[in-house]
Amino acid sequence: MNPRAKICVKLVAEEGVGTIAAGVAKGYADVILISGHDGGTGASPLSSIKYAGLPWELGLAETQQVLVMNDLRSRVVVRTDGGFHTGRDVVVAAMLGAEEYGFGTIALIAIGCQMARQCHLNTCPVGIASQREDLRAKFPGAPDDVVTYFSHVAQEAREILAGLGYRTFDEIVGRMDLLRQADRPQKPRAQKLDLSAMVTFDPDGRPIRCMQERNDRPERTLDDHIIEDARAALDDGAPVKLCYEVRNTNRTVGTKTSGEIAYRYHTEGLPEGTIEVNLTGSAGQSLGAFLYRGMRVILRGEANDYVGKGMTGGELALMPPESAPFESHQNVIIGNTCLYGATGGMLFAAGRAGERFGVRNSGAKAVVEGVGDHGCEYMTEGVVVILGETGRNFGAGMSNGIAYVLDEKGDFPSKLNPELIAIKRVNGAQDVEILTGLIQRHVQLTGSRRGQEILKNWERYQPLFWKVAPHTAMTEEGPQTIINRHIESVRAALAMG
């Protein structure tokens, strides 16, 4: 979404973390954070504080060695945290392979935290983790306290470096040979530990610290070509129509372009449909993820999971090839978990979707010709029209928004999760306007024969539609408020067509 950002992935120090870190580096993260068991919020359960995770030293040493052995260390910055207190901790972490070091709890203590472990209760006695004015008035800290503390940490680290004969941290990063296991005969249990594997690693000439500014993907993605071809639209707002072949290795198509629109035009975006991208083939995961205002993506083919994830604007339309001999509403065209967390925009799919369609949908409008289990799960806003069958557990956790479901078999009530929602037949004029308007737009963009059949025989199909909404919306004036939020946008979409 934002190629200018650096991506940090946080991993827990545990056995096998090096293998995970290698995969993260291959996935083009810029920073890998190894987090040890000693840190953590004061709101953590005592059992987690005492027993969860391993020391950062073990996780960091394994990560460093695996990255070096696979010649990946030069591509990423390694960071670590989890109970850092002193300059000595920083120096040891550097020798084990870290270039950056996180201080959390100790910095809070420097400004007066008393470790009351009430962070989650809004009763912090010194007002650090509280919104109560009477407690915030007791806050004893000042910025100078933190400055003084870190100045002492830095001074101790400088003294240790000087004692070893080094001037900069770069000279000691990854130098495990400078460490040795302490001999403590007075601690018999400690003497049983063998930590030689942490300090006897030979890099064999491979880099032992980060040598490049970013860990960017070397090959050009489809979105890089789209951005280049849509230069007129991005620079001057001139409408463009582009065509490409797409394969399932092309993931998040449209996302980087959307990020470029957001970077240049901020919250306003571009006028709807300024950049129209026509795709043919089988799209990989997350087609149109985080799609932004000004983009329209039309796919003739099929798509994998997470279509429209997090989309905030624009339009997505999917339809089978013109030569397809099957009925669209009887076949799957998109995968699972589509519209996950979407906050705006429209999705039209001439075919069925997999499970969890519209999960956490928070404002998008969609028309689809059938869904699997758990449709509209945790939905909090938006409108979903389903012109076909649904799976079980429909509407679980749905707290807002509207769904319209065509129930030709008469079994939809038995598939509903009634905990938060209720159903009734569609009969209000404004419900009909929203429903028919979205189906018309569905037909405009996808040419859906299913949609055409329903509109042509509306008198027969209207009584078969259920309206799904939260209980409170069904019993109060809520439905009218929800409908009013969506009518104008549906009218505008039809006007674009």
Side-chain angles (χ1 to χ4, degrees), residues 445-464:
L445 287 176
T446 69
S448 168
R449 291 194 294 269
R450 175 70 160 171
Q452 294 175 33
E453 169 70 15
I454 291 171
L455 292 174
K456 183 179 179 180
N457 300 282
W458 181 248
E459 297 302 322
R460 177 163 69 89
Y461 280 100
Q462 179 183 335
L464 303 179

Side-chain angles (χ1 to χ4, degrees), residues 396-471:
M398 178 179 169
S399 59
N400 208 338
I402 305 173
Y404 299 100
V405 180
L406 179 62
D407 183 18
E408 292 183 282
K409 293 185 177 180
D411 61 352
F412 176 68
S414 66
K415 299 176 179 179
L416 194 72
N417 185 320
E419 183 177 2
L420 297 180
I421 54 178
I423 59 173
K424 67 178 183 179
R425 292 295 185 181
V426 172
N427 49 29
Q430 290 185 314
D431 277 320
V432 171
E433 182 179 357
I434 286 183
L435 182 52
T436 57
L438 285 173
I439 298 174
Q440 286 174 34
R441 186 60 175 159
H442 178 60
V443 171
Q444 286 174 358
L445 287 176
T446 69
S448 168
R449 291 194 294 269
R450 175 70 160 171
Q452 294 175 33
E453 169 70 15
I454 291 171
L455 292 174
K456 183 179 179 180
N457 300 282
W458 181 248
E459 297 302 322
R460 177 163 69 89
Y461 280 100
Q462 179 183 335
L464 303 179
F465 274 98
W466 291 103
K467 176 181 177 180
V468 183
H471 287 295

Side-chain angles (χ1 to χ4, degrees), residues 171-244:
E171 297 176 78
I172 66 167
V173 170
R175 291 291 305 278
M176 298 179 180
D177 57 295
L178 298 176
L179 294 168
R180 63 174 176 82
Q181 184 172 346
D183 184 27
R184 295 188 176 177
Q186 73 278 17
K187 301 285 186 180
R189 292 184 65 188
Q191 290 294 90
K192 295 180 180 179
L193 287 173
D194 179 9
L195 302 178
S196 59
M198 296 177 60
V199 296
T200 57
F201 175 69
D202 181 10
D204 194 25
R206 291 179 287 259
I208 58 175
R209 63 183 179 88
C210 185
M211 306 296 289
Q212 58 191 59
E213 179 65 23
R214 300 179 59 89
N215 184 24
D216 286 335
R217 186 184 299 272
E219 70 272 13
R220 284 167 59 84
T221 65
L222 180 55
D223 264 75
D224 290 320
H225 295 287
I226 295 173
I227 291 172
E228 186 176 302
D229 296 340
R231 190 64 58 192
L234 293 170
D235 290 344
D236 306 315
V240 297
K241 290 189 177 183
L242 309 171
C243 299
Y244 305 93

Side-chain angles (χ1 to χ4, degrees), residues 384-403:
V384 172
V385 177
I386 302 171
L387 306 179
E389 296 183 31
T390 68
R392 62 185 178 86
N393 198 36
F394 187 92
M398 178 179 169
S399 59
N400 208 338
I402 305 173

Side-chain angles (χ1 to χ4, degrees), residues 284-308:
Q285 288 196 338
S286 302
L287 172 70
F290 308 108
L291 200 71
Y292 205 59
R293 284 185 290 276
M295 279 202 75
R296 178 181 298 134
V297 178
I298 300 174
L299 170 65
R300 190 170 288 280
E302 60 186 359
N304 214 306
D305 301 337
Y306 294 102
V307 172

